[in-house]
Amino acid sequence: MAGSTYGTLFRITTWGESHGPAIGVVIDGCPSGLSLNEEDIQKQLDRRKPGQSKFTTKRNESDTAQILSGVFEGKTTGTPISVIVYNQDQRSRDYGKIKDCYRPGHADYTFDAKYGIRDYRGGGRSSARETIGRVAAGAIAKKILEQLGIDLITFTRSIGDICIPETEYHYEDIAENILYMPNNDYAKKASDYLESCMKNQDSSGGIVECRVKGMPAGIGETVFDKLDASLAKAVVSIGAVKGVEIGDGFEASKNHGSNNNDAFTCQNGSVIKKTNHAGGILGGMSDGSELILRAAFKPTPSISKEQQTINTAFEETTIAITGRHDPVVVPRAVVVVESMAAITILDQMMINMSAKMDALEAFYCKE
Amino acid sequence: MAGSTYGTLFRITTWGESHGPAIGVVIDGCPSGLSLNEEDIQKQLDRRKPGQSKFTTKRNESDTAQILSGVFEGKTTGTPISVIVYNQDQRSRDYGKIKDCYRPGHADYTFDAKYGIRDYRGGGRSSARETIGRVAAGAIAKKILEQLGIDLITFTRSIGDICIPETEYHYEDIAENILYMPNNDYAKKASDYLESCMKNQDSSGGIVECRVKGMPAGIGETVFDKLDASLAKAVVSIGAVKGVEIGDGFEASKNHGSNNNDAFTCQNGSVIKKTNHAGGILGGMSDGSELILRAAFKPTPSISKEQQTINTAFEETTIAITGRHDPVVVPRAVVVVESMAAITILDQMMINMSAKMDALEAFYCKE
Amino acid sequence: MAGSTYGTLFRITTWGESHGPAIGVVIDGCPSGLSLNEEDIQKQLDRRKPGQSKFTTKRNESDTAQILSGVFEGKTTGTPISVIVYNQDQRSRDYGKIKDCYRPGHADYTFDAKYGIRDYRGGGRSSARETIGRVAAGAIAKKILEQLGIDLITFTRSIGDICIPETEYHYEDIAENILYMPNNDYAKKASDYLESCMKNQDSSGGIVECRVKGMPAGIGETVFDKLDASLAKAVVSIGAVKGVEIGDGFEASKNHGSNNNDAFTCQNGSVIKKTNHAGGILGGMSDGSELILRAAFKPTPSISKEQQTINTAFEETTIAITGRHDPVVVPRAVVVVESMAAITILDQMMINMSAKMDALEAFYCKE
Amino acid sequence: MAGSTYGTLFRITTWGESHGPAIGVVIDGCPSGLSLNEEDIQKQLDRRKPGQSKFTTKRNESDTAQILSGVFEGKTTGTPISVIVYNQDQRSRDYGKIKDCYRPGHADYTFDAKYGIRDYRGGGRSSARETIGRVAAGAIAKKILEQLGIDLITFTRSIGDICIPETEYHYEDIAENILYMPNNDYAKKASDYLESCMKNQDSSGGIVECRVKGMPAGIGETVFDKLDASLAKAVVSIGAVKGVEIGDGFEASKNHGSNNNDAFTCQNGSVIKKTNHAGGILGGMSDGSELILRAAFKPTPSISKEQQTINTAFEETTIAITGRHDPVVVPRAVVVVESMAAITILDQMMINMSAKMDALEAFYCKE
């Protein structure tokens, strides 16, 4: 199934290697008539670009998106939107160790096992630069969702074991600290922690949380293509994600039904839930409450501390990964999680339009 | 995308409502030449059938699988295998409260929101009986994997906060206790805990773990259809699952790279890892180590304790769900998680066969 | 990709062998709220069932459809609709020659080449009985299209070289002759011709035509999933079809642009075309004119005349196929072509609902 | 389903408008280890490029393909191959009439009906330049097929009613005449005929034929994804195709079974057919004989003769399409048909690798 295409009606196909000439994405199925320009995409890309803080790699890439198709006179036309980002910082260099070694925690060995060949330059296809295409596509999905009254707020919930309790979220802080945390005090602690990691030539993991407000109820299919199942795939497909939760997630496994069930009530004619342990999804469909999604990221595998490994001849060796690497992937991954969530939700909303005969009749039997 | 079809080359389509005439599955793409009979399927179905212990519903269903197509003279033919299970315990009854109320923690409201209609009898399509089709298909996938040297061991890891540490796993215990836990002592504690839940008219959540031994390296696609991403979708698509983990999962988010990275080494000419924090998947592809997958299940939402809710006219009311309900879904869900894992792995292994030119030439250029 | 599933949003999966216990179909993605009962399906199935005339096999099957899921209190619920038809006429018999020989014009050899095994009883999966599932699903699609103001008229255009010119179509005749031809005089000639074929232990081919009135303009995707491309696949996937045409089809290849182009004009505020060489499709999308589709069927390969062939040991032999076989497949294939057209059109109409931002906003932003 | 993606395991996604900055394709699922460079692609692109003869448009485009990803050190890596062709001849011009009118025989009206907007410059997405992506992808598929011993020969069979009988094919002539006809004498006649069309400000249709030698038996799925059904979709998805045939095609509808059935026999241990009315496909699967496929193209709709039409305000007007247009699309479409056939066959061959348990065991159980 190839594997670089995602989505059914809003469908994206990404391509490109870290140190190849360019990286890009084709977005097929974008509804026509949406105002769209390169700035809409650039805004989101800038949230993941390197060199923004002391915790992000200094790679000197402007990551400038160009739209090559699908937009005419400032509007989408319904045809595929091709977005390209040329790789500018491809200085020739010595890839010696990376070429011949399998870096622990990386995909070097598995790529060789699967394909018998691997573009070792900068991680090739398994580089975090692969997410550029996701973010460009996500920018479009997010813009559409906003026009439908749906907002995504995404942030760093924890770094290492510095985790912000839900009661201390201050969303206005997210834009104020380089870690995209919704609490500047926790961000300060996390920042100190990351400095100590760096001093130890080490790295840290963390958790990203995404919250979606304004979801209509009933989005999602009922068996395999449940909204939560689709979101789980979307998020785990991001490199370095090792776990995903909806609502209370793993905590729910320790709870009682009487406490975990959210009571329904009615407010201003709308159905609401008094609590939201479910995280906005029941039976795989949105229930109209806030959607809550979390992704656990492992620590950056590239560390300058020496590690034991083998080379491609299966001989023991050691490797210390020099160069520019973030001590934690989470802050730059925030916008990637948001993008995958936006794409998934939009796709399911488009599919949902034909769920009822009423809807078909209203659409096709006008007057 | 409909949503009741799963898989690309090994593709299953399930159908059926809890209290309709029957429930079933069509398995398309099953390789030909596999020995298969109804007993192969029944064996797995019996692991999820009701009435097996004091913690499972007393519904009196034999859940007998019949194969209606795709098998000839004891062998699969490569054509779709249709498996049907007739619902035998459809005694007519009064569905009054369930018909008119939205049960907390259930999909009643979201079904109505999406479709404007819902088969309220026994939960209809959102009943746990929907998993019968998954298990029947999973039985076939599991049998194929076994012939390829791949074994799945699946069990209850925790119930409530009674969680078995990895160091205390005794796989031989799994078959000896009604909770499918790999430690009889913990099973005893969990059993006591469930009794107390039942006394309180309440229920509990828990965690299922699946381990896969014998995986070849390189299985899984590299971007969206990563093996872990696909497994995440497979598992979260099971009703009541609120979280999924691969390897260390959420714990990895608190770890350092130096500790979380698994060092490669070589043993008898094979690449192995000294530790397995990754849970057998690197860059979305199997790395040849044991694959480790966990799913968090919320507490059974059906409890006999009175709960606040609304009816379909959006008026406040209360509901106490009488009848037969498991106080925990986890033991019966063990085989469902295993089934979804088996189907997903097999599908990806089939896709993987055409990854290399070498493989195409070996297959098609026999002299 | 397995191959027994068709469609994206309105998706069908068929299963079953000619002489197995049953044959069926699962329809997933059917909009909820449609009135549906078994009679709706039976009506179409009866158009393809055997034993209706001297030119159809005498196989004594009632082909009675049962709905096993997806319908509740007379309405579709949006969940998968499982339809089953039990095979009643499975008298045990001697399949000797068919078991060991490759019948010319049949799929016996190719099944063995692909799968290394084949259910030889009555053709197994390659039997025309496979179309039962298509027709059952098509009955539902057709009913929905009718509610959207779209009508399909399908008939036998030619048998052998007895072909009805378009100017002599009398649609009211279709129901009056056993060949489903829109001209009773031509039907009489065709009938005589078939009698002579039978006397010669031989068979005939023919052409089915399907016309669709009431199509809205703009249905179909613009590149690979064009409406005409999708219809072509749908129709050629029916056994024995060797060609397909839209509008003027192959005749267009001999024409001039000045004559083949259909001039646009406006009538009562609607765009119409003065002619319809295009058959209602321009650039892969419906243009609002009548859609015209033709399928060429080869002669029934089963003939009682002796034919040269080989056995499964690759030794030369001869075969005369005795038993009950139609001298022409076309009359019973009429409803199959119509079914595949209806399914394809409905699926594309469902996909089309999300083509424009306007439509998403109208659907989701009801204040 | 979007509609610009094609294929399951070998999957292509095309994008780009005629007068946008660029046009391209992403090929996902290409097996790793194939030697590939830009020249391999350019060679096929040059067969469709404009300005090659007096019958092809003088548009001055070099149509130079660049590979942006998926190839490393001259070998495919298994990751997506992105191919881009920049549009060089985008001189700014007055699109006046085309902007405001619906050209007869074109997709202008249907694009507006579907999307409410259309990139009118040079036909936008419905331009024949859209096929550049198909041909680039087809070049790769064709190269792989060649390495598996499978050759495609594709040519112009007819222009207008000048049709070469099969008995007069001289394949060596194809490269010798500008119309790619396998008979120079017929090519001369067709050339004269086209000159007269041009004098009359008119255009002509024609037929392309593709023959595939070296096909293994058993390729193709057995119900909806039959090889012939998939080829039919592939070919009809090319703009201007109005019909498709396999083997005898529409002629088969006039034939008798005794004549149309191809007798099996055995030659040097291989199964062959004494005739090939079937065109190499039985029951949707290749039978090992030569595969024969034909596509009927309508006359180029762009003619300089004045035609009646309406403008976008639905008012009557006339249009004469000036500028550079081929009087027949067929010669340049030859390589497009070949490309779609190659992609389809390769995709089905990749799918076919997992059809048998034997194959899985041979692949995965190497001791």
Side-chain angles (χ1 to χ4, degrees), chain C residues 44-339:
Chain C
Q44 290 288 87
L45 277 182
D46 288 350
R47 291 172 60 189
R48 73 158 294 291
K49 92 174 167 194
Q52 302 193 103
S53 80
K54 58 191 165 186
F55 302 128
T56 56
T57 71
K58 300 301 177 298
R59 201 177 177 199
N60 186 22
E61 304 256 358
S62 70
D63 282 354
T64 306
Q66 298 170 53
I67 296 174
L68 296 178
S69 67
V71 177
F72 182 57
E73 297 180 343
K75 297 266 185 191
T76 58
T77 61
T79 62
I81 301 168
S82 176
V83 180
I84 194 168
V85 171
Y86 279 91
N87 293 326
Q88 298 183 325
D89 184 25
Q90 307 170 55
R91 54 177 109 147
S92 86
R93 74 191 75 173
D94 176 17
Y95 291 100
K97 260 287 182 184
I98 296 178
K99 177 180 175 185
D100 298 321
C101 274
Y102 294 135
R103 291 170 296 164
H106 277 280
D108 304 337
Y109 169 63
T110 50
F111 261 92
D112 266 8
K114 183 178 190 73
Y115 293 119
I117 183 176
R118 129 185 88 96
D119 181 345
Y120 50 78
R121 301 167 306 163
R125 183 73 177 141
S126 70
S127 161
R129 283 187 70 71
E130 173 267 318
T131 61
I132 286 175
R134 302 177 185 235
V135 173
I140 299 173
K142 191 183 181 185
K143 186 168 188 183
I144 294 173
L145 291 181
E146 279 169 4
Q147 297 201 9
L148 303 177
I150 297 167
D151 287 301
L152 296 96
I153 299 170
T154 320
F155 50 86
T156 301
R157 179 167 195 177
S158 74
I159 285 178
D161 52 17
I162 298 153
C163 180
I164 315 175
E166 201 174 334
T167 50
E168 298 187 41
Y169 286 176
H170 306 300
Y171 291 141
E172 65 280 10
D173 287 9
I174 297 172
E176 291 176 8
N177 65 77
I178 55 178
L179 297 175
Y180 299 111
M181 294 184 93
N183 183 310
N184 289 333
D185 296 338
Y186 280 85
K188 176 71 182 61
K189 280 183 231 170
S191 182
D192 292 346
Y193 173 71
L194 288 174
E195 300 244 20
S196 79
C197 288
M198 289 171 86
K199 257 179 225 141
N200 295 330
Q201 302 182 303
D202 213 334
S203 65
S204 172
I207 295 174
V208 172
E209 186 167 304
C210 176
R211 290 179 170 242
V212 188
K213 292 174 192 296
M215 286 290 294
I219 305 304
E221 300 303 305
T222 50
V223 180
F224 298 112
D225 299 321
K226 287 184 164 85
L227 179 56
D228 40 6
S230 300
L231 286 167
K233 179 173 182 177
V235 161
V236 179
S237 78
I238 303 168
V241 173
K242 300 302 287 185
V244 65
E245 292 182 325
I246 308 292
D248 283 6
F250 276 81
E251 281 305 308
S253 74
K254 301 180 191 162
N255 209 342
H256 291 292
S258 61
N259 190 259
N260 187 69
N261 285 347
D262 303 306
F264 286 111
T265 184
C266 188
Q267 198 171 68
N268 306 323
S270 292
V271 174
I272 62 162
K273 287 151 50 205
K274 294 195 173 176
T275 52
N276 190 16
H277 298 286
I281 301 183
L282 283 171
M285 291 168 277
S286 60
D287 63 16
S289 304
E290 189 178 37
L291 199 153
I292 304 169
L293 176 71
R294 268 182 305 281
F297 286 80
K298 71 177 185 183
T300 317
S302 292
I303 53 175
S304 45
K305 196 176 271 189
E306 194 175 81
Q307 301 176 81
Q308 193 173 27
T309 191
I310 55 171
N311 63 19
T312 55
F314 293 5
E315 297 157 338
E316 307 268 338
T317 183
T318 60
I319 191 166
I321 299 163
T322 53
R324 308 155 305 184
H325 295 285
D326 300 356
V328 68
V329 300
V330 159
R332 289 177 60 194
V334 163
V335 70
V336 184
V337 170
E338 182 171 286
S339 296

Side-chain angles (χ1 to χ4, degrees), chain B residues 45-154:
Chain B
L45 277 182
D46 288 350
R47 291 173 60 189
R48 73 159 294 291
K49 92 174 165 192
Q52 301 194 104
S53 81
K54 57 190 166 185
F55 303 128
T56 55
T57 70
K58 300 300 177 298
R59 199 178 179 199
N60 186 22
E61 304 256 0
S62 68
D63 283 354
T64 306
Q66 298 170 52
I67 296 174
L68 297 179
S69 65
V71 177
F72 182 58
E73 299 181 341
K75 299 266 185 191
T76 58
T77 60
T79 63
I81 301 168
S82 177
V83 180
I84 194 168
V85 172
Y86 278 91
N87 293 326
Q88 297 183 325
D89 185 23
Q90 307 170 56
R91 52 177 111 147
S92 86
R93 74 191 75 175
D94 176 17
Y95 291 100
K97 260 289 181 185
I98 296 178
K99 177 182 175 184
D100 297 322
C101 275
Y102 295 133
R103 291 170 296 164
H106 276 280
D108 304 337
Y109 168 63
T110 50
F111 261 91
D112 266 8
K114 184 179 190 73
Y115 293 119
I117 183 175
R118 128 186 90 96
D119 181 345
Y120 49 77
R121 301 167 305 162
R125 184 74 177 139
S126 70
S127 162
R129 284 187 69 71
E130 173 267 319
T131 61
I132 287 176
R134 302 177 186 234
V135 173
I140 300 173
K142 191 183 180 184
K143 185 167 189 183
I144 294 173
L145 291 181
E146 279 168 4
Q147 297 200 9
L148 304 177
I150 297 168
D151 287 301
L152 296 97
I153 299 171
T154 319

Side-chain angles (χ1 to χ4, degrees), chain A residues 12-60:
Chain A
I12 73 170
T13 300
T14 68
W15 56 270
E17 273 82 33
S18 178
H19 287 62
I23 266 184
V25 62
V26 182
I27 300 107
D28 195 15
C30 181
S32 66
L34 175 76
S35 293
L36 187 75
N37 59 38
E38 284 157 353
E39 183 47 36
D40 292 315
I41 292 168
Q42 197 62 47
K43 206 171 51 185
Q44 289 289 87
L45 277 182
D46 288 350
R47 291 173 60 190
R48 71 159 294 292
K49 93 175 164 191
Q52 302 195 103
S53 81
K54 57 191 166 186
F55 303 128
T56 55
T57 69
K58 300 299 177 297
R59 200 179 178 196
N60 186 22

Side-chain angles (χ1 to χ4, degrees), chain A residues 19-254:
Chain A
H19 287 62
I23 266 184
V25 62
V26 182
I27 300 107
D28 195 15
C30 181
S32 66
L34 175 76
S35 293
L36 187 75
N37 59 38
E38 284 157 353
E39 183 47 36
D40 292 315
I41 292 168
Q42 197 62 47
K43 206 171 51 185
Q44 289 289 87
L45 277 182
D46 288 350
R47 291 173 60 190
R48 71 159 294 292
K49 93 175 164 191
Q52 302 195 103
S53 81
K54 57 191 166 186
F55 303 128
T56 55
T57 69
K58 300 299 177 297
R59 200 179 178 196
N60 186 22
E61 304 256 358
S62 69
D63 282 354
T64 306
Q66 298 170 52
I67 296 174
L68 297 178
S69 66
V71 178
F72 182 57
E73 298 180 344
K75 299 265 185 191
T76 58
T77 60
T79 62
I81 301 169
S82 177
V83 179
I84 195 168
V85 171
Y86 278 91
N87 293 326
Q88 297 182 326
D89 185 23
Q90 307 170 56
R91 54 177 108 148
S92 86
R93 73 191 76 174
D94 177 17
Y95 291 101
K97 261 289 182 184
I98 295 178
K99 177 180 175 185
D100 298 322
C101 273
Y102 295 134
R103 290 170 297 164
H106 277 280
D108 303 338
Y109 169 62
T110 50
F111 260 92
D112 266 8
K114 183 179 191 73
Y115 293 119
I117 182 175
R118 128 186 88 97
D119 181 345
Y120 51 77
R121 301 166 306 162
R125 184 74 178 139
S126 70
S127 162
R129 284 188 69 71
E130 174 266 317
T131 62
I132 287 175
R134 301 177 186 235
V135 173
I140 300 173
K142 192 184 180 184
K143 185 167 189 184
I144 294 173
L145 291 181
E146 279 168 4
Q147 297 201 9
L148 303 177
I150 297 168
D151 286 301
L152 297 97
I153 299 171
T154 319
F155 49 87
T156 301
R157 180 169 194 176
S158 74
I159 286 179
D161 53 16
I162 299 152
C163 179
I164 315 175
E166 198 173 336
T167 51
E168 298 186 42
Y169 286 176
H170 306 300
Y171 291 142
E172 64 281 11
D173 287 9
I174 297 172
E176 291 176 7
N177 64 77
I178 55 178
L179 297 174
Y180 300 111
M181 293 184 94
N183 184 309
N184 289 333
D185 297 337
Y186 280 85
K188 177 69 182 65
K189 280 182 231 169
S191 183
D192 293 346
Y193 174 71
L194 288 175
E195 301 245 21
S196 78
C197 289
M198 288 170 86
K199 257 178 227 142
N200 296 329
Q201 302 181 303
D202 214 335
S203 64
S204 173
I207 295 174
V208 172
E209 186 167 302
C210 175
R211 289 177 171 245
V212 189
K213 291 173 191 298
M215 285 290 294
I219 305 304
E221 300 303 304
T222 52
V223 180
F224 298 112
D225 299 320
K226 287 183 164 85
L227 180 56
D228 40 7
S230 300
L231 286 166
K233 180 173 182 177
V235 162
V236 179
S237 79
I238 303 169
V241 173
K242 300 303 286 185
V244 66
E245 292 183 324
I246 307 293
D248 283 5
F250 275 82
E251 281 306 306
S253 75
K254 302 180 190 162

Side-chain angles (χ1 to χ4, degrees), chain C residues 1-3 8 114 202 205 220-221 224-226 233 237 242 246 253 258 261 265 274 278 301 307-308 316 352, chain D residues 1-3 8 114 202 205 220-221 224-226 233 237 242 246 258 261 265 274 278 301 307-308 316 352:
Chain C
M1 219 184 10
T8 297
K114 183 178 190 73
D202 213 334
E221 300 303 305
F224 298 112
D225 299 321
K226 287 184 164 85
K233 179 173 182 177
S237 78
K242 300 302 287 185
I246 308 292
S253 74
S258 61
N261 285 347
T265 184
K274 294 195 173 176
Q307 301 176 81
Q308 193 173 27
E316 307 268 338
N352 182 62
Chain D
M1 217 185 13
T8 297
K114 184 180 190 73
D202 214 334
E221 300 302 305
F224 298 112
D225 299 320
K226 288 184 163 85
K233 179 173 181 177
S237 79
K242 301 302 287 184
I246 307 293
S258 61
N261 285 347
T265 185
K274 294 195 173 176
Q307 301 177 80
Q308 194 173 25
E316 306 268 338
N352 181 63

